[in-house]
Amino acid sequence: MPSPPVVRSVADLRATLAGWRGEGLSIAFVPTMGALHEGHLSLVRLGLSRCDRVVASIFVNPTQFGPNEDLAAYPRDEAGDAGKLSVAGCHLLFAPSAAEMYPPGAATVVTVSGVSEPLDGQARPGHFAGVATVVAKLLNQVRPDVAIFGEKDYQQLQVIRRLAIDLDLGVEILGAPTARAADGLALSSRNAYLTEDERRRAPELAAALAEAVLALRAGVPVAEAEAQALGRVQAAGFGPVDYLEVRDAGDLSRMGPGPLPPGRAGRILAAARLGRARLIDNMAV
């Protein structure tokens, strides 16, 4: 099966999409940073179930990386990714350069207050301003009917939902369940950084969260469930742990320290380092 056509300019992207819209076709959009895995491809398939055409983007966005993060080392394989997208049924790949996305003189930054401030907002200052800016640009460039994001990056998903509402973007933001390996590890492009030994220990993060979810549902106080999960993660060799906290599933406000309030949806979220890899995960409570 041939790879999907690749466009690298906003003008060429819009020309293709205008043709589809002229035919009355609906469009789903899956933005990625490449190094695609089954989680990304599941988003493409979900897009196919919702719309007539699926556009995916690959852009390693420099503005969401901090000065000591892995921008230069982030895995890149556009040719391999294009082949995977083809098998998944993607119709078009948008792969712009940094200069196309941020031309000389670009001076606008989009910030989303509230939901972007805790968790990764504290651990990675400036990260969500970079995310919100590039996603706002991509959604404006593609103007899809539906845009699909994985729930593994749950805080990012909530930031984007708030962004789309506040800016009246007219796009449905759809969250898709976290794709996991058979042993429970959340799929991530950064899993490629794990050594063989680290890969064996990595599923302990998901296991600790799953154990905490059961405890919370049984009435164990939030603070106690968090402490037990943190101890299990640290015993597996993770460190530092940026956060492991139970939050409101909507606005990500803090929950605890007592038992979960009846009828209030929660989410337990964690970010921790294991060797070179910074792994994140979350589960509904």
Short mmCIF file of all heavy atoms in Angstrom, two decimals, residues 99-161:
data_model
loop_
_atom_site.label_atom_id
_atom_site.label_comp_id
_atom_site.label_asym_id
_atom_site.label_seq_id
_atom_site.Cartn_x
_atom_site.Cartn_y
_atom_site.Cartn_z
N ALA A 99 10.47 26.25 10.44
CA ALA A 99 10.33 27.57 9.82
C ALA A 99 8.94 27.78 9.25
O ALA A 99 8.44 28.92 9.22
CB ALA A 99 11.38 27.74 8.72
N GLU A 100 8.29 26.70 8.80
CA GLU A 100 6.92 26.82 8.29
C GLU A 100 5.95 27.11 9.44
O GLU A 100 5.02 27.90 9.28
CB GLU A 100 6.52 25.52 7.57
CG GLU A 100 5.11 25.52 7.00
CD GLU A 100 4.94 26.44 5.79
OE1 GLU A 100 5.95 26.93 5.24
OE2 GLU A 100 3.77 26.66 5.39
N MET A 101 6.19 26.46 10.56
CA MET A 101 5.29 26.64 11.70
C MET A 101 5.57 27.94 12.46
O MET A 101 4.64 28.56 13.01
CB MET A 101 5.41 25.45 12.65
CG MET A 101 4.86 24.15 12.06
SD MET A 101 3.08 24.22 11.69
CE MET A 101 2.40 24.27 13.34
N TYR A 102 6.82 28.32 12.51
CA TYR A 102 7.21 29.54 13.25
C TYR A 102 8.07 30.41 12.34
O TYR A 102 9.29 30.47 12.49
CB TYR A 102 7.98 29.19 14.52
CG TYR A 102 7.20 28.34 15.50
CD1 TYR A 102 7.50 26.98 15.68
CD2 TYR A 102 6.16 28.88 16.25
CE1 TYR A 102 6.79 26.20 16.58
CE2 TYR A 102 5.45 28.10 17.16
CZ TYR A 102 5.77 26.76 17.32
OH TYR A 102 5.06 25.99 18.21
N PRO A 103 7.46 31.10 11.38
CA PRO A 103 8.25 31.93 10.45
C PRO A 103 8.88 33.11 11.19
O PRO A 103 8.48 33.45 12.31
CB PRO A 103 7.21 32.40 9.44
CG PRO A 103 5.90 32.28 10.14
CD PRO A 103 6.02 31.14 11.09
N PRO A 104 9.87 33.73 10.58
CA PRO A 104 10.53 34.88 11.22
C PRO A 104 9.51 35.94 11.64
O PRO A 104 8.59 36.26 10.89
CB PRO A 104 11.45 35.39 10.12
CG PRO A 104 11.74 34.19 9.27
CD PRO A 104 10.48 33.39 9.28
N GLY A 105 9.67 36.44 12.84
CA GLY A 105 8.76 37.44 13.37
C GLY A 105 7.61 36.89 14.16
O GLY A 105 6.85 37.67 14.76
N ALA A 106 7.44 35.57 14.19
CA ALA A 106 6.35 34.97 14.97
C ALA A 106 6.47 35.40 16.42
O ALA A 106 7.53 35.24 17.05
CB ALA A 106 6.38 33.45 14.86
N ALA A 107 5.40 35.95 16.99
CA ALA A 107 5.48 36.55 18.33
C ALA A 107 4.30 36.20 19.22
O ALA A 107 4.21 36.70 20.34
CB ALA A 107 5.58 38.07 18.19
N THR A 108 3.40 35.34 18.76
CA THR A 108 2.19 35.03 19.52
C THR A 108 2.37 33.72 20.29
O THR A 108 2.79 32.71 19.72
CB THR A 108 0.98 34.91 18.59
OG1 THR A 108 0.80 36.17 17.92
CG2 THR A 108 -0.28 34.56 19.36
N VAL A 109 2.04 33.75 21.57
CA VAL A 109 2.06 32.57 22.42
C VAL A 109 0.68 32.41 23.04
O VAL A 109 0.10 33.37 23.55
CB VAL A 109 3.13 32.69 23.52
CG1 VAL A 109 3.07 31.49 24.46
CG2 VAL A 109 4.52 32.82 22.90
N VAL A 110 0.14 31.20 22.99
CA VAL A 110 -1.17 30.91 23.57
C VAL A 110 -0.96 30.26 24.93
O VAL A 110 -0.22 29.27 25.05
CB VAL A 110 -1.97 29.96 22.65
CG1 VAL A 110 -3.33 29.63 23.27
CG2 VAL A 110 -2.15 30.58 21.27
N THR A 111 -1.59 30.79 25.95
CA THR A 111 -1.52 30.19 27.28
C THR A 111 -2.93 29.87 27.75
O THR A 111 -3.87 30.60 27.48
CB THR A 111 -0.84 31.11 28.29
OG1 THR A 111 -1.56 32.35 28.37
CG2 THR A 111 0.60 31.39 27.89
N VAL A 112 -3.05 28.76 28.45
CA VAL A 112 -4.33 28.30 29.00
C VAL A 112 -4.16 28.26 30.52
O VAL A 112 -3.38 27.46 31.03
CB VAL A 112 -4.71 26.92 28.46
CG1 VAL A 112 -6.02 26.45 29.08
CG2 VAL A 112 -4.82 26.96 26.93
N SER A 113 -4.87 29.11 31.21
CA SER A 113 -4.74 29.18 32.66
C SER A 113 -5.45 28.00 33.33
O SER A 113 -6.21 27.27 32.70
CB SER A 113 -5.31 30.50 33.18
OG SER A 113 -4.63 31.60 32.62
N GLY A 114 -5.19 27.83 34.61
CA GLY A 114 -5.92 26.85 35.40
C GLY A 114 -5.44 25.44 35.19
O GLY A 114 -4.52 24.97 35.86
N VAL A 115 -6.04 24.75 34.23
CA VAL A 115 -5.78 23.32 34.05
C VAL A 115 -4.33 23.05 33.65
O VAL A 115 -3.82 21.95 33.86
CB VAL A 115 -6.77 22.74 33.00
CG1 VAL A 115 -6.45 23.20 31.61
CG2 VAL A 115 -6.83 21.24 33.08
N SER A 116 -3.62 24.03 33.10
CA SER A 116 -2.24 23.83 32.68
C SER A 116 -1.23 24.06 33.81
O SER A 116 -0.04 23.79 33.64
CB SER A 116 -1.89 24.78 31.54
OG SER A 116 -1.82 26.11 32.02
N GLU A 117 -1.69 24.53 34.97
CA GLU A 117 -0.75 25.02 35.98
C GLU A 117 -0.15 23.95 36.90
O GLU A 117 1.03 24.04 37.23
CB GLU A 117 -1.42 26.13 36.79
CG GLU A 117 -1.68 27.37 35.93
CD GLU A 117 -2.60 28.38 36.60
OE1 GLU A 117 -2.95 28.18 37.77
OE2 GLU A 117 -2.97 29.37 35.93
N PRO A 118 -0.91 22.93 37.36
CA PRO A 118 -0.29 21.93 38.24
C PRO A 118 0.49 20.87 37.45
O PRO A 118 0.65 20.96 36.23
CB PRO A 118 -1.50 21.30 38.94
CG PRO A 118 -2.59 21.38 37.90
CD PRO A 118 -2.35 22.67 37.16
N LEU A 119 0.99 19.86 38.16
CA LEU A 119 1.57 18.66 37.55
C LEU A 119 2.68 19.01 36.55
O LEU A 119 3.70 19.59 36.94
CB LEU A 119 0.45 17.83 36.91
CG LEU A 119 -0.71 17.46 37.85
CD1 LEU A 119 -1.85 16.81 37.09
CD2 LEU A 119 -0.24 16.56 38.97
N ASP A 120 2.50 18.73 35.27
CA ASP A 120 3.53 19.05 34.28
C ASP A 120 3.70 20.55 34.12
O ASP A 120 4.76 21.00 33.67
CB ASP A 120 3.19 18.42 32.93
CG ASP A 120 3.89 17.08 32.74
OD1 ASP A 120 4.50 16.58 33.71
OD2 ASP A 120 3.85 16.53 31.63
N GLY A 121 2.68 21.33 34.48
CA GLY A 121 2.83 22.77 34.44
C GLY A 121 3.91 23.26 35.38
O GLY A 121 4.61 24.25 35.09
N GLN A 122 4.08 22.57 36.52
CA GLN A 122 5.13 22.90 37.46
C GLN A 122 6.43 22.19 37.12
O GLN A 122 7.51 22.77 37.24
CB GLN A 122 4.69 22.55 38.88
CG GLN A 122 3.55 23.40 39.40
CD GLN A 122 3.16 23.05 40.82
OE1 GLN A 122 3.53 22.00 41.35
NE2 GLN A 122 2.40 23.93 41.46
N ALA A 123 6.32 20.93 36.70
CA ALA A 123 7.53 20.15 36.43
C ALA A 123 8.23 20.58 35.15
O ALA A 123 9.46 20.45 35.03
CB ALA A 123 7.17 18.66 36.33
N ARG A 124 7.46 21.13 34.19
CA ARG A 124 8.03 21.52 32.90
C ARG A 124 7.56 22.94 32.56
O ARG A 124 6.68 23.13 31.73
CB ARG A 124 7.59 20.54 31.80
CG ARG A 124 7.95 19.09 32.06
CD ARG A 124 7.47 18.19 30.93
NE ARG A 124 8.19 18.43 29.70
CZ ARG A 124 7.88 17.89 28.52
NH1 ARG A 124 6.83 17.09 28.42
NH2 ARG A 124 8.59 18.15 27.45
N PRO A 125 8.14 23.95 33.19
CA PRO A 125 7.69 25.33 32.96
C PRO A 125 7.74 25.70 31.48
O PRO A 125 8.71 25.42 30.78
CB PRO A 125 8.70 26.16 33.77
CG PRO A 125 9.22 25.22 34.81
CD PRO A 125 9.25 23.87 34.16
N GLY A 126 6.66 26.30 31.00
CA GLY A 126 6.57 26.71 29.60
C GLY A 126 6.09 25.63 28.66
O GLY A 126 5.76 25.92 27.50
N HIS A 127 6.03 24.39 29.13
CA HIS A 127 5.67 23.28 28.25
C HIS A 127 4.29 23.47 27.63
O HIS A 127 4.11 23.35 26.41
CB HIS A 127 5.72 21.97 29.03
CG HIS A 127 5.12 20.79 28.32
ND1 HIS A 127 5.70 20.23 27.20
CD2 HIS A 127 3.99 20.07 28.56
CE1 HIS A 127 4.97 19.21 26.78
NE2 HIS A 127 3.93 19.09 27.58
N PHE A 128 3.30 23.78 28.47
CA PHE A 128 1.94 23.84 27.95
C PHE A 128 1.68 25.09 27.12
O PHE A 128 0.77 25.10 26.28
CB PHE A 128 0.92 23.71 29.07
CG PHE A 128 0.76 22.29 29.55
CD1 PHE A 128 0.99 21.95 30.87
CD2 PHE A 128 0.41 21.29 28.67
CE1 PHE A 128 0.86 20.64 31.30
CE2 PHE A 128 0.28 19.96 29.08
CZ PHE A 128 0.51 19.65 30.41
N ALA A 129 2.45 26.15 27.31
CA ALA A 129 2.35 27.29 26.39
C ALA A 129 2.79 26.86 24.99
O ALA A 129 2.17 27.23 23.99
CB ALA A 129 3.19 28.46 26.88
N GLY A 130 3.85 26.05 24.92
CA GLY A 130 4.28 25.52 23.63
C GLY A 130 3.26 24.59 23.02
O GLY A 130 2.99 24.65 21.81
N VAL A 131 2.67 23.72 23.84
CA VAL A 131 1.64 22.81 23.36
C VAL A 131 0.43 23.58 22.86
O VAL A 131 -0.08 23.34 21.75
CB VAL A 131 1.23 21.82 24.47
CG1 VAL A 131 -0.03 21.05 24.07
CG2 VAL A 131 2.36 20.86 24.78
N ALA A 132 -0.07 24.50 23.68
CA ALA A 132 -1.27 25.24 23.31
C ALA A 132 -1.06 26.06 22.05
O ALA A 132 -1.94 26.14 21.19
CB ALA A 132 -1.70 26.14 24.47
N THR A 133 0.11 26.64 21.90
CA THR A 133 0.39 27.46 20.72
C THR A 133 0.41 26.61 19.46
O THR A 133 -0.23 26.94 18.45
CB THR A 133 1.72 28.21 20.88
OG1 THR A 133 1.65 29.06 22.05
CG2 THR A 133 2.03 29.07 19.67
N VAL A 134 1.14 25.50 19.49
CA VAL A 134 1.24 24.70 18.27
C VAL A 134 -0.08 24.01 17.94
O VAL A 134 -0.45 23.90 16.77
CB VAL A 134 2.39 23.68 18.38
CG1 VAL A 134 2.03 22.47 19.24
CG2 VAL A 134 2.83 23.22 16.99
N VAL A 135 -0.82 23.58 18.96
CA VAL A 135 -2.10 22.92 18.68
C VAL A 135 -3.11 23.94 18.15
O VAL A 135 -3.88 23.64 17.22
CB VAL A 135 -2.63 22.20 19.93
CG1 VAL A 135 -4.07 21.72 19.72
CG2 VAL A 135 -1.74 21.02 20.27
N ALA A 136 -3.10 25.15 18.70
CA ALA A 136 -3.99 26.18 18.15
C ALA A 136 -3.68 26.44 16.68
O ALA A 136 -4.59 26.59 15.85
CB ALA A 136 -3.86 27.47 18.96
N LYS A 137 -2.39 26.50 16.34
CA LYS A 137 -2.00 26.71 14.94
C LYS A 137 -2.44 25.54 14.07
O LYS A 137 -3.02 25.72 12.99
CB LYS A 137 -0.48 26.92 14.85
CG LYS A 137 0.00 28.24 15.41
CD LYS A 137 1.51 28.33 15.42
CE LYS A 137 2.10 28.37 14.03
NZ LYS A 137 1.84 29.63 13.30
N LEU A 138 -2.17 24.32 14.52
CA LEU A 138 -2.51 23.14 13.73
C LEU A 138 -4.02 23.03 13.51
O LEU A 138 -4.48 22.72 12.41
CB LEU A 138 -1.98 21.88 14.41
CG LEU A 138 -0.47 21.66 14.33
CD1 LEU A 138 -0.03 20.59 15.32
CD2 LEU A 138 -0.02 21.29 12.92
N LEU A 139 -4.79 23.28 14.56
CA LEU A 139 -6.25 23.19 14.41
C LEU A 139 -6.77 24.27 13.46
O LEU A 139 -7.72 24.03 12.70
CB LEU A 139 -6.92 23.29 15.77
CG LEU A 139 -6.69 22.12 16.72
CD1 LEU A 139 -7.38 22.36 18.06
CD2 LEU A 139 -7.17 20.80 16.12
N ASN A 140 -6.14 25.42 13.48
CA ASN A 140 -6.54 26.48 12.54
C ASN A 140 -6.11 26.15 11.12
O ASN A 140 -6.80 26.48 10.15
CB ASN A 140 -5.93 27.81 12.98
CG ASN A 140 -6.44 28.96 12.15
OD1 ASN A 140 -7.64 29.14 11.96
ND2 ASN A 140 -5.52 29.76 11.61
N GLN A 141 -4.97 25.49 10.97
CA GLN A 141 -4.48 25.14 9.64
C GLN A 141 -5.32 24.04 9.01
O GLN A 141 -5.63 24.08 7.81
CB GLN A 141 -3.01 24.71 9.74
CG GLN A 141 -2.06 25.86 10.07
CD GLN A 141 -0.73 25.39 10.64
OE1 GLN A 141 -0.54 24.20 10.91
NE2 GLN A 141 0.19 26.32 10.83
N VAL A 142 -5.69 23.04 9.81
CA VAL A 142 -6.44 21.90 9.29
C VAL A 142 -7.95 22.15 9.33
O VAL A 142 -8.67 21.75 8.43
CB VAL A 142 -6.09 20.62 10.08
CG1 VAL A 142 -6.89 19.43 9.59
CG2 VAL A 142 -4.59 20.33 9.99
N ARG A 143 -8.41 22.78 10.38
CA ARG A 143 -9.84 23.02 10.61
C ARG A 143 -10.66 21.74 10.45
O ARG A 143 -11.58 21.65 9.64
CB ARG A 143 -10.36 24.12 9.68
CG ARG A 143 -9.67 25.46 9.93
CD ARG A 143 -10.13 26.56 9.04
NE ARG A 143 -9.33 27.77 9.27
CZ ARG A 143 -9.42 28.88 8.54
NH1 ARG A 143 -10.29 28.94 7.54
NH2 ARG A 143 -8.67 29.93 8.82
N PRO A 144 -10.31 20.74 11.25
CA PRO A 144 -10.99 19.44 11.12
C PRO A 144 -12.36 19.47 11.79
O PRO A 144 -12.68 20.36 12.58
CB PRO A 144 -10.04 18.50 11.88
CG PRO A 144 -9.47 19.38 12.95
CD PRO A 144 -9.29 20.74 12.31
N ASP A 145 -13.14 18.46 11.49
CA ASP A 145 -14.39 18.25 12.21
C ASP A 145 -14.12 17.65 13.59
O ASP A 145 -14.79 17.98 14.57
CB ASP A 145 -15.31 17.32 11.41
CG ASP A 145 -15.67 17.92 10.07
OD1 ASP A 145 -16.54 18.81 10.03
OD2 ASP A 145 -15.06 17.50 9.06
N VAL A 146 -13.14 16.75 13.65
CA VAL A 146 -12.77 16.05 14.88
C VAL A 146 -11.24 16.03 14.98
O VAL A 146 -10.56 15.77 13.97
CB VAL A 146 -13.30 14.60 14.89
CG1 VAL A 146 -12.85 13.87 16.14
CG2 VAL A 146 -14.81 14.57 14.76
N ALA A 147 -10.70 16.31 16.16
CA ALA A 147 -9.28 16.15 16.42
C ALA A 147 -9.13 15.16 17.56
O ALA A 147 -9.84 15.23 18.57
CB ALA A 147 -8.63 17.48 16.78
N ILE A 148 -8.19 14.22 17.41
CA ILE A 148 -8.12 13.08 18.32
C ILE A 148 -6.77 13.08 19.04
O ILE A 148 -5.71 13.17 18.41
CB ILE A 148 -8.32 11.76 17.55
CG1 ILE A 148 -9.64 11.81 16.76
CG2 ILE A 148 -8.32 10.58 18.51
CD1 ILE A 148 -9.85 10.65 15.83
N PHE A 149 -6.85 12.94 20.36
CA PHE A 149 -5.66 12.92 21.22
C PHE A 149 -5.76 11.75 22.18
O PHE A 149 -6.85 11.40 22.64
CB PHE A 149 -5.56 14.23 22.02
CG PHE A 149 -5.42 15.46 21.18
CD1 PHE A 149 -6.54 16.06 20.62
CD2 PHE A 149 -4.18 16.02 20.93
CE1 PHE A 149 -6.43 17.20 19.84
CE2 PHE A 149 -4.05 17.16 20.16
CZ PHE A 149 -5.17 17.75 19.61
N GLY A 150 -4.64 11.16 22.52
CA GLY A 150 -4.63 10.03 23.45
C GLY A 150 -4.75 10.49 24.89
O GLY A 150 -4.23 11.54 25.28
N GLU A 151 -5.42 9.68 25.71
CA GLU A 151 -5.57 10.00 27.12
C GLU A 151 -4.31 9.78 27.93
O GLU A 151 -4.25 10.19 29.09
CB GLU A 151 -6.71 9.18 27.73
CG GLU A 151 -8.09 9.62 27.27
CD GLU A 151 -9.21 8.90 27.99
OE1 GLU A 151 -8.92 7.92 28.72
OE2 GLU A 151 -10.37 9.31 27.84
N LYS A 152 -3.29 9.15 27.36
CA LYS A 152 -2.03 9.01 28.11
C LYS A 152 -1.52 10.37 28.53
O LYS A 152 -1.05 10.54 29.65
CB LYS A 152 -0.97 8.28 27.28
CG LYS A 152 0.34 8.08 28.06
CD LYS A 152 1.41 7.42 27.22
CE LYS A 152 2.02 8.37 26.23
NZ LYS A 152 2.87 9.42 26.89
N ASP A 153 -1.60 11.35 27.64
CA ASP A 153 -1.24 12.73 27.96
C ASP A 153 -2.51 13.44 28.45
O ASP A 153 -3.04 14.32 27.77
CB ASP A 153 -0.64 13.42 26.73
CG ASP A 153 0.65 12.76 26.28
OD1 ASP A 153 1.68 12.97 26.95
OD2 ASP A 153 0.63 12.03 25.28
N TYR A 154 -2.99 13.03 29.62
CA TYR A 154 -4.32 13.46 30.06
C TYR A 154 -4.37 14.96 30.34
O TYR A 154 -5.35 15.63 29.97
CB TYR A 154 -4.74 12.68 31.30
CG TYR A 154 -6.18 12.94 31.70
CD1 TYR A 154 -7.22 12.31 31.02
CD2 TYR A 154 -6.50 13.83 32.72
CE1 TYR A 154 -8.55 12.56 31.35
CE2 TYR A 154 -7.82 14.09 33.06
CZ TYR A 154 -8.83 13.45 32.37
OH TYR A 154 -10.14 13.70 32.69
N GLN A 155 -3.36 15.49 30.98
CA GLN A 155 -3.37 16.92 31.25
C GLN A 155 -3.34 17.71 29.95
O GLN A 155 -4.06 18.71 29.79
CB GLN A 155 -2.20 17.32 32.14
CG GLN A 155 -2.26 18.79 32.57
CD GLN A 155 -1.16 19.17 33.54
OE1 GLN A 155 -0.18 18.44 33.71
NE2 GLN A 155 -1.29 20.32 34.17
N GLN A 156 -2.54 17.26 28.99
CA GLN A 156 -2.51 17.90 27.68
C GLN A 156 -3.90 17.88 27.05
O GLN A 156 -4.36 18.88 26.47
CB GLN A 156 -1.52 17.18 26.77
CG GLN A 156 -1.55 17.64 25.33
CD GLN A 156 -0.56 16.89 24.47
OE1 GLN A 156 0.62 17.21 24.45
NE2 GLN A 156 -1.01 15.87 23.76
N LEU A 157 -4.59 16.75 27.13
CA LEU A 157 -5.94 16.63 26.57
C LEU A 157 -6.87 17.66 27.20
O LEU A 157 -7.66 18.31 26.50
CB LEU A 157 -6.46 15.21 26.79
CG LEU A 157 -7.91 14.94 26.41
CD1 LEU A 157 -8.15 15.16 24.93
CD2 LEU A 157 -8.30 13.51 26.82
N GLN A 158 -6.79 17.82 28.51
CA GLN A 158 -7.65 18.79 29.19
C GLN A 158 -7.30 20.22 28.81
O GLN A 158 -8.19 21.08 28.68
CB GLN A 158 -7.58 18.61 30.70
CG GLN A 158 -8.10 17.25 31.19
CD GLN A 158 -9.52 16.97 30.74
OE1 GLN A 158 -9.75 16.36 29.68
NE2 GLN A 158 -10.48 17.41 31.52
N VAL A 159 -6.03 20.50 28.62
CA VAL A 159 -5.61 21.83 28.17
C VAL A 159 -6.18 22.11 26.78
O VAL A 159 -6.71 23.21 26.52
CB VAL A 159 -4.07 21.93 28.15
CG1 VAL A 159 -3.61 23.20 27.42
CG2 VAL A 159 -3.52 21.92 29.58
N ILE A 160 -6.12 21.13 25.89
CA ILE A 160 -6.60 21.33 24.53
C ILE A 160 -8.12 21.46 24.49
O ILE A 160 -8.67 22.27 23.72
CB ILE A 160 -6.09 20.18 23.63
CG1 ILE A 160 -4.57 20.29 23.48
CG2 ILE A 160 -6.77 20.21 22.27
CD1 ILE A 160 -3.91 19.05 22.93
N ARG A 161 -8.80 20.70 25.32
CA ARG A 161 -10.26 20.86 25.40
C ARG A 161 -10.64 22.28 25.83
O ARG A 161 -11.54 22.90 25.27
CB ARG A 161 -10.84 19.84 26.38
CG ARG A 161 -10.94 18.44 25.80
CD ARG A 161 -11.38 17.44 26.85
NE ARG A 161 -11.77 16.17 26.21
CZ ARG A 161 -11.76 14.98 26.83
NH1 ARG A 161 -11.39 14.91 28.09
NH2 ARG A 161 -12.12 13.89 26.18
#
